[in-house]
Amino acid sequence: MEGAQDAQAVLSHKVPPVKLRLLLVDTAKARRLMYLSLLVIPLGYPMVWLLGRGSGVAVFICAFICWLGMFFFIRKNWPDRFITAEGHLLSTGKELLLNIGQQRITFPLNAATTVEITYRGFKGEHLTNRITASGIDNFIQFNEGEVYRFEVLTAQAQETLRNEVRRWYHLKVQVKEWRRDGPTFLLHRDLSYEQIQAYKQEFGVGLYG
């Protein structure tokens, strides 16, 4: 994991514009249906019992696996059925250009702009021994407005975004970052106390932005 960098070196380095694919999701409807998917649990028990009754252990196990697979399929895929618009965010030298649906919004890269990022991980990133990130369970919000999903498909794309977020900090954008285990810097997980202090000193901000 990299340490603190000189602000002048970061800002003087020429980088091409960074583009993020954005998805606007009807989160309220998706959340309600996610909760409804929990009904599969009580409904699943009698289904498994009926299918497996008197048919042997193998059929019972097969029915249980099918039910469990259906439950996790619903939990994973229902939110993606409620994408209401697609677009992109373009980060240039001096501004953020938001294009989604019919919206065209510009945010200056300075202290007048607040960016809040909730980051799950790039596609295929191992979060635990059994769980990997989908690459689209990442969220970004500007000036407390709409919340958008954004897509990170590779480790290289994550590194590109990480470098860009670092540039935002040095331009005094009010950045707030979150991962599953709490607030963070530059999309990292499990920062040590020493690393947190180094980033706070580099960016001139607290852990919560």
Side-chain angles (χ1 to χ4, degrees), residues 72-85:
F72 283 108
F73 177 82
I74 291 172
R75 291 292 300 271
K76 181 177 177 62
N77 290 281
W78 266 5
D80 299 334
R81 299 294 181 264
F82 301 101
I83 295 171
T84 58

Side-chain angles (χ1 to χ4, degrees), residues 22-27 84 98 100 103 105 107 116 139-149:
L22 300 179
L23 304 169
L24 181 59
V25 178
D26 188 337
T27 52
T84 58
L98 175 66
I100 191 160
Q103 296 182 358
I105 307 174
F107 302 98
E116 185 159 353
F139 300 87
I140 191 166
Q141 182 182 35
F142 308 96
N143 294 346
E144 300 183 353
E146 288 276 9
V147 177
Y148 303 96
R149 284 178 181 253

Side-chain angles (χ1 to χ4, degrees), residues 20-64:
L20 286 180
R21 179 170 177 255
L22 300 179
L23 304 169
L24 181 59
V25 178
D26 188 337
T27 52
K29 185 180 291 185
R31 190 179 299 113
R32 287 196 296 270
L33 288 175
M34 286 280 282
Y35 291 146
L36 283 175
S37 72
L38 295 174
L39 292 176
V40 174
I41 293 176
L43 292 175
Y45 282 118
M47 180 190 76
V48 172
W49 183 81
L50 288 173
L51 290 176
R53 185 181 181 186
S55 302
V57 175
V59 174
F60 184 87
I61 292 175
C62 181
F64 177 77

